[in-house]
Amino acid sequence: MKGTRATWIEPKALDSGIRDEVERIRIVDGHEHLDEEAARLKQPNDLTRFFMYYTFDDVTTTRKTAADSGEFFKAGTTPDRQWRMVRDAWPLARHTGYGRAVRLSIKELYGIDDLRDDTIRPLLAAIAKRNRPGVTKWMLREKAGVEVALVNAEDPGDMARRTGSPGLFLFDITVSGFLGDKPDLKPYEKASGIACTSLRAWHRMMDWYFARWGRQAVAIKNVSAYWRVLKYDEVSEADAAPLYEKWLVRRKKVTPAERKAVQDHFFDACVRRATELDLAVKIHTGYHAGTGYTDLNLPRVRDLASLFRRHPKARFDIFHLSYPEWDDLIALAKHYPNVVADMCWAWAIDPMGARQFARQALHALPLNKVHGFGGDVGYADMVYGHARIARDSIAAVLTEAVREGRLTRADAKEAARRWLRENAMEFYRIEKRRAAQAAGQPPPLKP
């Protein structure tokens, strides 16, 4: 990582050869929610770029905040007001993974060592000064050492998106919009020109989307663990069709079992399309973002085993280590050839827990079964802090293994390269997707 100064672990505690190897690696950042730079440059200059993704959650759970998230993120709330809302809680949360990532990022990117009364205005001034064309590449490539970032699509009308940063950004096809309790098909119908008046018509609409994006996307993504169990059963088109018509055409009340059957059919169909197009399948498991609502019975990775068996040729990328149940994920990734464990977001949720997973995975899984980094944040500013924690932690785990005689130094360097870059380059077919992107992106949808 060129120009790296802010660190999380004392460099003397790390094996110098392993540390240097980890620093040289150009990371494949497996999951982000980053805006296009053109949108970023128009956004207001306030504290949300550091608190929007996750940090505010830890601040909120202290019960020392002066307002809820709605007020903090409300358009027009001044940075001074935002800081007053969180100033009493920040000292209690600054040491967590989320808080530490904030401090590492502002130190390295803006020269500010912490958030205090006397640093808020200098920080905002430094952000404004840096926020010019080219800032995204500077933050990701020069500072965070990211080669390519795989970015989530947010537009409900197009499932994926065109980018002004080809080669740096690649995208998933988001399919979660079809897996909710009240899916709105209108944006997809309008974009594709296909009225989804039957399940067969829905399949034609999906064929249109996959034809539009399948060559350039790297994966499909499913985040339904936020609202339903991950047990996806096999439901035939013949069985799903009348339930689809009842629920989504005639708008009649359906039972939870009927709704689940249609959702299960939807996702199975998406997995088959992904497999045909050589796309990976990303699935959220484990911990939920936010506060005050999670149900840990929903996002359990063990519920996916039947899906893994049903689609042996698919490539399943299981997000967030299914935290806090990573033992289950290790067992499944060890058993199923089509399953890998993804550490995106995990380094900030629980840095020590993620490090323990890495210790276990190092000796339980083949080296190509772990994807070592994804920031999973909304602002490029925060990628540095998340990546810093990941690099330092992986170097520490590998140093420990070498010093205890469990790995040679050469083995450790190979593990670092695979976890932070090579596994994802191969798994996501990065060069193939970049070439397709360079050949020409789909035209924008008509308004």
Side-chain angles (χ1 to χ4, degrees), residues 37 40-41 130-140:
E37 185 171 280
R40 172 201 171 92
L41 297 178
R130 174 58 67 176
N131 208 35
R132 298 289 186 270
V135 64
T136 303
K137 287 184 179 179
W138 175 77
M139 287 179 172
L140 296 182

Side-chain angles (χ1 to χ4, degrees), residues 181 248 272 327 333 339 346 414 438:
D181 290 346
L248 296 174
R272 285 195 298 272
D327 286 344
V339 176
E414 173 68 9

Side-chain angles (χ1 to χ4, degrees), residues 5 104-114 119 122-123 126:
R5 291 181 297 277
L104 288 166
S105 289
I106 63 176
K107 175 66 174 178
E108 176 63 17
L109 300 180
Y110 302 117
I112 304 294
D113 65 343
D114 205 346
T119 63
L123 172 61

Side-chain angles (χ1 to χ4, degrees), residues 97-209:
Y98 297 159
R100 184 59 180 167
V102 168
R103 290 190 289 140
L104 288 166
S105 289
I106 63 176
K107 175 66 174 178
E108 176 63 17
L109 300 180
Y110 302 117
I112 304 294
D113 65 343
D114 205 346
L115 299 175
R116 299 185 303 270
D117 288 349
D118 64 326
T119 63
I120 297 302
R121 288 188 177 277
L123 172 61
L124 294 170
I127 292 171
K129 183 178 180 180
R130 174 58 67 176
N131 208 35
R132 298 289 186 270
V135 64
T136 303
K137 287 184 179 179
W138 175 77
M139 287 179 172
L140 296 182
R141 285 203 167 139
E142 183 173 340
K143 305 306 288 184
V146 169
E147 172 69 20
V148 60
L150 311 186
V151 184
N152 192 67
E154 310 287 356
D155 182 359
D158 208 9
M159 295 173 63
R161 75 188 201 203
R162 304 172 79 248
T163 178
S165 300
L168 176 59
F169 285 175
L170 291 170
F171 296 93
D172 309 322
I173 294 174
T174 181
V175 300
S176 304
F178 304 112
L179 306 176
D181 290 346
K182 296 179 180 180
D184 181 8
L185 300 181
K186 291 179 180 178
Y188 307 101
E189 293 176 320
K190 182 178 179 181
S192 66
I194 299 171
C196 297
T197 54
S198 68
L199 182 58
R200 184 62 56 85
W202 179 88
H203 278 279
R204 289 197 301 271
M205 182 269 294
M206 291 300 294
D207 286 340
W208 183 89
Y209 268 108

Side-chain angles (χ1 to χ4, degrees), residues 273-290:
R273 286 176 172 86
T275 305
E276 291 166 359
L277 291 167
D278 201 25
L279 301 172
V281 180
K282 295 180 173 182
I283 303 177
H284 176 106
T285 62
Y287 193 72
H288 290 150

Side-chain angles (χ1 to χ4, degrees), residues 9 23 65 79 82 159 192 208 214 225 234 242 258 268 351 375 379 410 440 447:
I9 296 171
E23 292 301 304
T65 50
Q82 288 178 317
M159 295 173 63
S192 66
W208 183 89
E234 186 172 14
E258 290 173 327
D268 247 16
Y379 288 104

Side-chain angles (χ1 to χ4, degrees), residues 24-89:
R24 282 192 291 267
I25 297 169
R26 306 298 296 179
I27 291 176
V28 175
D29 182 346
H31 182 54
E32 298 292 357
H33 292 265
L34 304 177
D35 285 330
E36 291 295 314
E37 185 171 280
R40 172 201 171 92
L41 297 178
K42 296 176 183 177
Q43 292 168 347
N45 187 18
D46 55 32
L47 295 183
T48 60
R49 71 182 65 248
F50 297 111
F51 281 98
M52 177 173 282
Y53 273 79
Y54 316 127
T55 316
F56 194 81
D57 296 348
D58 279 353
V59 169
T60 297
T61 57
T62 69
R63 305 188 75 173
K64 298 291 185 180
T65 50
D68 62 19
S69 61
E71 186 175 353
F72 184 87
F73 297 118
K74 183 179 179 181
T77 302
T78 67
D80 287 342
R81 171 64 178 146
Q82 288 178 317
W83 174 240
R84 289 196 297 273
M85 291 178 193
V86 301
R87 64 187 298 183
D88 291 338

